[in-house]
Amino acid sequence: MTALKLELRGITKRFGSLVANDHIDLTVEPGEIHCLLGENGAGKSTLMNVLYGLYEPTSGEIVVDGTPRTFRTAGDAIAAGIGMVHQHFMLVPVFTVAENVMLGHEETGALGWLDRRRARKKVLDLVAEYGLAVDPDATVEDLPVGLQQRVEILKALVRDAKVLILDEPTAVLTPQETEELFRVMRALRESGHSIVFITHKLKEVKAVADRITVIRRGKVVGSADPQASETELASLMVGRPVELVVHKEPARPGDVRFTLDKVTVLDDLGNVQVNDVSLDLREGEILCIAGVQGNGQTELTEAILGLRKPAAGKIALDNKDLTALNPRRTLDSGVGFVPEDRQHDGIVGEFSVAENLVLDLVTREPFGGGIAIKPKQVRENARQRVAEFDIRTQSIDSPAGTLSGGNQQKVVVAREMSRPLRLFIASQPTRGVDVGAMEFIHQRIVAERDLGTPVVIVSTELDEVVALADRIAVMYRGRIVGVVPPTATREQLGLLMAGVDDPALLAEAGGGKALDTRFGVGPARTDGPDLAKSDGAPADRAGTDQTDRTSTDGEEGPA
């Protein structure tokens, strides 16, 4: 295979007045893994969409092996030897692996019929060459996410891609699937392929990158090698020193305050998404629900809030039945809720920052009563919350939709945490926010726990889960497959996230130490880490500062 050298020279991309990429220079050498690191919204994906022909640059040029090239479509980029695996896969679920790989690049026989045998052989040859281990006859919808990603890589390789762009490739993978992806990436590098690896996860950068380029606000702000510390890389990303740990004392949980009892939830088509889930939550503790996206977490939180009525089971807070309540009455019961999609469910983009900070409070004092809203109190509340939560906005009258993703999230968090709470639920609390905003949001969540509020965090980011949790419940295909302590290894959590609950395999993944998959279930315990001793003193625990290097799995908007 002939390797390619890829150069981006002065690439600028504007969307109206927004400069998403600002005179970016980038060189990808043959046979290297080049990491493009930056916060969400920094412009990484926009730049790669320019390279792949999905966007036309406002100015600048793309040079392949010393020759300037113009890519007006993805087909132009593919013809030049550039392939891309998007964060959201472009696969036909009901087709087989071989059919997906050949789609748009069909093999035909003498009479024009599709030659499935030849397509299948090409897949098998690539599987053998790069160790991708996927069955060409398997139907894609039956494959786990990690194998679907391999199909996307095969699609690029069968088109002779010599430069492969991977856009946030680990966002939906378990730790084991991530390690397997890294093995495949290294094998591709050894064969002469170049890989552009787009991510915001510092740990992964250090694990697999040969060179690192950091983008901030659409500009290249520096480069580094994998030996750079995570603190140095985070500072380059954000532009200031960042604390990469969550500081929290051991939990002192009290009485059980919130319970899910055999809850089953269906989707709009009548399919079971949450299957007979039972959990309890005590005051003053954080229960994190972990799992790969799409295993029932969304439907579970919708049922708790009253957006979706359970098909069976009971939801109770302080012995009050919430099961049949609508969202308004649930919120009025003292539930604070941060939804996973802030733009659709958390804010009204056209409303001002001040108005968004009281969206679910305008029917009560001091902000309103009856049909009247009190503008003076709404504005005073906004000034206080903007200062307290460090919301970066030109004005409290600015539309919330004009704020950055991180500041939109702060608006939602500020609104939900600025009233007395009996339960706080946050789904993907730091999705799409930068490292600095993440640090702040984590501090506020821990502070809420320390006030005695029971907290439920739903997150697909393992580092976030381990950093915040006092207990971890792992969901797989709608069921809770284990409730484990935050001291569980990432390998153990990864197995549970894949539905593996075999005690022997879990012990092996924990270095021979057995894992209690019913941690903290039942009466208040006095023997586990993070839980209070019977004499009221905190339980002994090695290291209460837990490393947190999380962020989200996608960029905000075109920038």
Side-chain angles (χ1 to χ4, degrees):
M1 187 195 79
T2 304
L4 292 182
K5 179 176 181 178
L6 177 67
E7 298 174 85
L8 304 181
R9 298 177 181 174
I11 294 293
T12 296
K13 179 60 182 176
R14 293 188 177 91
F15 297 92
S17 61
L18 173 65
V19 182
N21 295 145
D22 191 356
H23 295 89
I24 289 182
D25 295 325
L26 180 71
T27 300
V28 182
E29 298 290 346
E32 77 166 359
I33 299 175
H34 194 125
C35 175
L36 200 59
L37 178 67
E39 301 170 335
N40 294 282
K44 307 184 300 294
S45 289
T46 297
L47 183 65
M48 291 302 101
N49 285 332
V50 168
L51 174 58
Y52 195 55
L54 299 178
Y55 293 155
E56 188 172 346
T58 306
S59 62
E61 64 179 359
I62 300 170
V63 180
V64 179
D65 275 348
T67 302
R69 302 293 295 266
T70 299
F71 299 153
R72 291 188 170 86
T73 67
D76 295 337
I78 292 169
I82 298 169
M84 185 168 181
V85 176
H86 298 269
Q87 183 178 345
H88 303 290
F89 303 151
M90 309 290 185
L91 299 172
V92 181
V94 296
F95 283 11
T96 67
V97 169
E99 288 168 343
N100 269 279
V101 170
M102 69 188 290
L103 191 63
H105 194 73
E106 290 84 357
E107 299 279 355
T108 58
L111 298 177
W113 295 99
L114 291 177
D115 192 338
R116 287 183 168 82
R117 183 179 298 176
R118 195 188 309 174
R120 186 176 184 277
K121 184 178 185 305
K122 277 196 171 183
V123 172
L124 288 173
D125 289 345
L126 289 169
V127 164
E129 184 174 356
Y130 299 109
L132 288 165
V134 60
D135 180 3
D137 300 318
T139 304
V140 161
E141 65 184 353
D142 296 331
L143 297 177
V145 173
L147 292 185
Q148 290 185 29
Q149 188 175 66
R150 294 185 192 181
V151 178
E152 286 282 17
I153 294 173
L154 284 168
K155 283 172 58 180
L157 294 177
V158 82
R159 289 158 177 77
D160 297 322
K162 300 174 179 64
V163 177
L164 193 61
I165 304 166
L166 302 180
D167 188 4
E168 299 283 358
T170 65
V172 294
L173 302 184
T174 67
Q176 285 85 352
E177 289 171 331
T178 296
E179 284 301 319
E180 183 60 23
L181 172 65
F182 289 169
R183 184 197 63 76
V184 171
M185 290 169 62
R186 294 182 184 108
L188 289 168
R189 177 185 59 190
E190 293 304 313
S191 69
H193 290 83
S194 302
I195 296 174
V196 182
F197 176 41
I198 304 173
T199 188
H200 56 262
K201 298 181 180 180
L202 303 175
K203 188 182 302 179
E204 294 176 358
V205 170
K206 290 179 63 62
V208 78
D210 297 313
R211 283 198 300 147
I212 303 165
T213 295
V214 182
I215 294 181
R216 183 170 73 242
R217 296 183 180 178
K219 295 183 177 182
V220 173
V221 295
S223 59
D225 59 45
Q227 283 69 49
S229 70
E230 294 183 16
T231 301
E232 292 169 332
L233 293 174
S235 297
L236 269 177
M237 286 172 62
V238 179
R240 64 173 176 82
V242 178
E243 186 72 61
L244 290 176
V245 295
V246 174
H247 296 282
K248 66 186 181 79
E249 296 297 322
R252 294 174 175 269
D255 296 333
V256 172
R257 297 275 302 280
F258 177 68
T259 58
L260 301 171
D261 184 17
K262 299 183 180 301
V263 172
T264 295
V265 184
L266 310 181
D267 64 15
D268 295 336
L269 298 176
N271 301 311
V272 175
Q273 297 297 322
V274 178
N275 193 349
D276 197 36
V277 166
S278 295
L279 286 170
D280 59 44
L281 180 63
R282 304 177 185 91
E283 64 181 19
E285 76 164 342
I286 298 173
L287 173 69
C288 284
I289 299 178
V292 174
Q293 187 77 30
N295 278 278
Q297 304 97 314
T298 298
E299 291 78 9
L300 180 61
T301 56
E302 288 175 348
I304 294 171
L305 190 65
L307 290 168
R308 190 178 294 273
K309 183 175 174 57
K314 181 180 178 180
I315 303 169
L317 175 62
D318 292 332
N319 295 318
K320 177 181 179 180
D321 191 350
L322 304 183
T323 313
L325 299 188
N326 61 31
R328 164 55 57 197
R329 294 181 62 192
T330 301
L331 293 172
D332 288 345
S333 298
V335 177
F337 181 70
V338 176
E340 66 181 66
D341 189 338
R342 60 176 166 270
Q343 291 185 326
H344 285 91
D345 304 318
I347 66 168
V348 179
E350 295 78 11
F351 285 14
S352 70
V353 171
E355 290 166 336
N356 272 278
L357 284 165
V358 294
L359 274 183
D360 55 357
L361 303 172
V362 292
T363 60
R364 66 181 73 171
E365 294 291 345
F367 307 116
I371 61 172
I373 297 176
K374 300 178 180 179
K376 181 179 178 181
Q377 285 85 346
V378 170
R379 294 179 63 82
E380 178 58 29
N381 172 74
R383 282 189 282 268
Q384 292 177 10
R385 301 303 167 229
V386 165
E388 180 184 359
F389 286 81
D390 190 29
I391 299 169
R392 310 289 176 87
T393 178
Q394 291 184 345
S395 165
I396 61 173
D397 298 314
S398 297
T402 64
L403 272 59
S404 69
N407 284 295
Q408 289 179 12
Q409 190 77 351
K410 286 183 183 179
V411 168
V412 178
V413 171
R415 181 182 67 230
E416 299 304 308
M417 284 189 158
S418 296
R419 55 191 172 92
L421 293 177
R422 294 162 64 191
L423 172 69
F424 179 65
I425 304 170
S427 186
Q428 315 301 338
T430 57
R431 171 174 285 171
V433 308
D434 61 44
V435 178
M438 185 189 316
E439 174 189 24
F440 178 84
I441 291 170
H442 286 168
Q443 290 171 351
R444 294 299 304 216
I445 289 172
V446 172
E448 192 66 37
R449 178 205 73 167
D450 291 343
L451 290 173
T453 306
V455 176
V456 177
I457 301 296
V458 178
S459 179
T460 57
E461 297 284 354
L462 267 189
D463 286 333
E464 179 168 66
V465 166
V466 172
L468 289 175
D470 300 310
R471 288 189 296 147
I472 302 171
V474 183
M475 285 193 76
Y476 175 73
R477 294 189 176 178
R479 291 184 178 273
I480 300 296
V481 293
V483 180
V484 299
T487 51
T489 67
R490 280 163 174 74
E491 291 74 17
Q492 290 171 322
L493 291 171
L495 287 175
L496 290 169
M497 288 165 64
V500 178
D501 58 0
D502 181 84
L505 291 175
L506 291 172
E508 182 180 350
K513 185 177 180 181
L515 181 66
D516 177 6
T517 57
R518 292 190 55 80
F519 179 76
V521 176
R525 292 174 47 154
T526 60
D527 60 339
D530 295 328
L531 301 180
K533 289 183 177 179
S534 56
D535 62 3
D540 293 335
R541 173 173 154 188
T544 58
D545 289 351
Q546 299 188 50
T547 301
D548 172 28
R549 296 169 174 79
T550 64
S551 190
T552 80
D553 51 341
E555 292 209 11
E556 289 282 335

